[in-house]
Amino acid sequence: EQLQQRIQLVPEDKRPIAEQLLKELVFMSGTLENLKSTIKEKGEIDLFKQGKQEFLRESPAMKTYNTTVQRYSLLFKQFADLLPQSEESPDSDLVNFLRQ
């Protein structure tokens, strides 16, 4: 995986943090894929019944997906911020993009 290779670019003293962030990113990525499958299968909107009343609401999977994708983005940014900034690096455009 590309992110695993990027860990080698992280300074030694910050590498344990990067490794932990990567573990969480991998887990969250799998969770997001599962949620996407559920959303595709069941839809974004859910019919909710409470007593005799029925109403439409955002599906629990959609709500969880939205929350998880926001947190995934934050973790990804934290991971990218651990990478050194180097103008000589051929990947510096990628690193700068990830830092935004």
Side-chain angles (χ1 to χ4, degrees):
E1 182 172 299
Q2 265 189 345
L3 291 179
Q4 185 66 42
Q5 294 171 353
R6 300 269 184 228
I7 284 182
Q8 302 308 316
L9 301 174
V10 175
E12 190 75 33
D13 62 323
K14 295 180 181 177
R15 205 165 290 161
I17 296 167
E19 289 171 350
Q20 193 61 38
L21 288 172
L22 181 59
K23 286 179 187 176
E24 292 301 320
L25 287 167
V26 168
F27 175 78
M28 291 174 91
S29 178
T31 300
L32 289 168
E33 288 302 316
N34 291 338
L35 288 167
K36 277 196 262 186
S37 294
T38 301
I39 293 165
K40 286 178 183 178
E41 181 183 316
K42 297 183 179 183
E44 302 88 12
I45 304 298
D46 191 36
L47 180 62
F48 183 71
K49 297 178 183 181
Q50 187 171 19
K52 294 183 180 185
Q53 291 183 323
E54 294 182 350
F55 52 93
L56 297 176
R57 66 172 183 180
E58 181 179 42
S59 75
M62 189 73 207
K63 189 171 187 170
T64 303
Y65 178 87
N66 288 332
T67 301
T68 304
V69 79
Q70 288 174 347
R71 292 188 178 138
Y72 179 88
S73 297
L74 289 173
L75 283 180
F76 201 90
K77 183 179 181 338
Q78 287 177 338
F79 182 84
D81 287 345
L82 293 174
L83 296 172
Q85 282 188 319
S86 172
E87 293 305 316
E88 292 96 2
S89 170
D91 296 328
S92 63
D93 291 338
L94 173 63
V95 172
N96 289 332
F97 173 76
L98 293 175
R99 290 183 187 279
Q100 294 178 3

